[in-house]
Amino acid sequence: MNLIPYILIITLSLIGMHAVMAMTLSVISGMVIGIIHGDFSFIESFSVVHGGMCSMQDMAVIAIFVGGLVAIMQYLGGIDWLLNKLAKGMKSKVGAELSIAALVSLVDVATTNNTISIIACGPIAKDISEEFDIAPERTASILDLFSSAFNGLTPYAGQLLTAGAMAKIAPVTIIPYVWYDILMIIFGVLFILLGLPKFKRKELKQ
């Protein structure tokens, strides 16, 4: 029964429900289950939710800060400059997708946070996808895949630092064994080069 909120949010996400609504329903289901189990009362459930929100406070502040910086870049022409630089190496849809992958990967390595890298690169990736007729779902997938993969391969990021501390070894020594992230990059690049899955942006709007 404790798995219901997780199953619910995965199911709602797969059927295309908005992330905010899916998360809200999952949190409510978790509250109901907790109350039924006697883990906390109805009043105490709000304190539990508040605690969860507080744990994400730092992330929210960083997201707002980075979002503001991206908006300033766009206002001052920085986004257009970057797009022009990237456009020189983009002659096709494949080149555009590889550019999006490279951009979010570099930002992720610099920030060690895949969420922040997606937020920072999102507006640029959106402009590139519109220019080269790339489906929004495909663009979002590329951003998510490569930012997550490189975050797991960065020795000074949270995952490897924690794993290294627990095993009492240097985080960099773990990298050759992080096969999941390595395979994500390999298959991500392969699917971009092969153009799989084969669908067009306009087809998704019908």
Side-chain angles (χ1 to χ4, degrees):
M1 195 172 184
N2 292 334
L3 294 177
I4 290 178
Y6 301 99
I7 296 174
L8 181 62
I9 192 169
I10 292 174
T11 303
L12 295 177
S13 299
L14 289 175
I15 65 176
M17 179 176 287
H18 193 282
V20 174
M21 182 60 68
M23 182 63 72
T24 300
L25 292 176
S26 300
V27 170
I28 292 175
S29 69
M31 292 171 62
V32 172
I33 292 172
I35 293 172
I36 294 175
H37 277 187
D39 297 327
F40 42 75
S41 65
F42 175 73
I43 300 299
E44 291 173 339
S45 66
F46 291 97
S47 178
V48 174
V49 173
H50 176 263
M53 294 173 65
C54 287
S55 65
M56 296 297 293
Q57 184 174 356
D58 293 341
M59 180 66 70
V61 172
I62 294 174
I64 294 172
F65 180 71
V66 173
L69 287 178
V70 172
I72 293 174
M73 281 179 59
Q74 190 169 22
Y75 178 77
L76 296 177
I79 299 295
D80 292 333
W81 177 85
L82 186 56
L83 282 173
N84 290 332
K85 289 294 182 180
L86 289 173
K88 293 180 180 180
M90 293 186 294
K91 305 299 182 182
S92 64
K93 183 179 292 187
V94 172
E97 291 181 351
L98 288 175
S99 296
I100 293 173
L103 179 62
V104 75
S105 299
L106 290 173
V107 174
D108 182 75
V109 171
T111 62
T112 69
N113 190 300
N114 57 314
T115 302
I116 297 304
S117 61
I118 291 174
I119 294 174
C121 298
I124 302 173
K126 181 176 182 293
D127 290 340
I128 294 174
S129 65
E130 291 176 349
E131 177 70 22
F132 288 87
D133 195 34
I134 302 171
E137 292 84 350
R138 188 173 178 87
T139 302
S141 178
I142 292 173
L143 289 171
D144 179 60
L145 189 152
F146 284 91
S147 63
S148 298
F150 276 91
N151 195 259
L153 288 172
T154 305
Y156 47 87
Q159 293 91 326
L160 291 188
L161 285 176
T162 302
M166 293 176 64
K168 297 182 180 179
I169 58 177
V172 70
T173 62
I174 308 174
I175 294 178
Y177 303 97
V178 189
W179 284 103
Y180 180 74
D181 295 282
I182 295 172
L183 289 174
M184 284 175 66
I185 296 172
I186 293 174
F187 280 97
V189 173
L190 184 63
F191 273 68
I192 288 176
L193 294 176
L194 295 177
L196 298 174
K198 295 184 180 298
F199 54 77
K200 294 182 180 180
R201 178 188 180 93
K202 294 179 181 178
E203 292 175 349
L204 295 174
K205 293 183 178 181
Q206 294 178 354

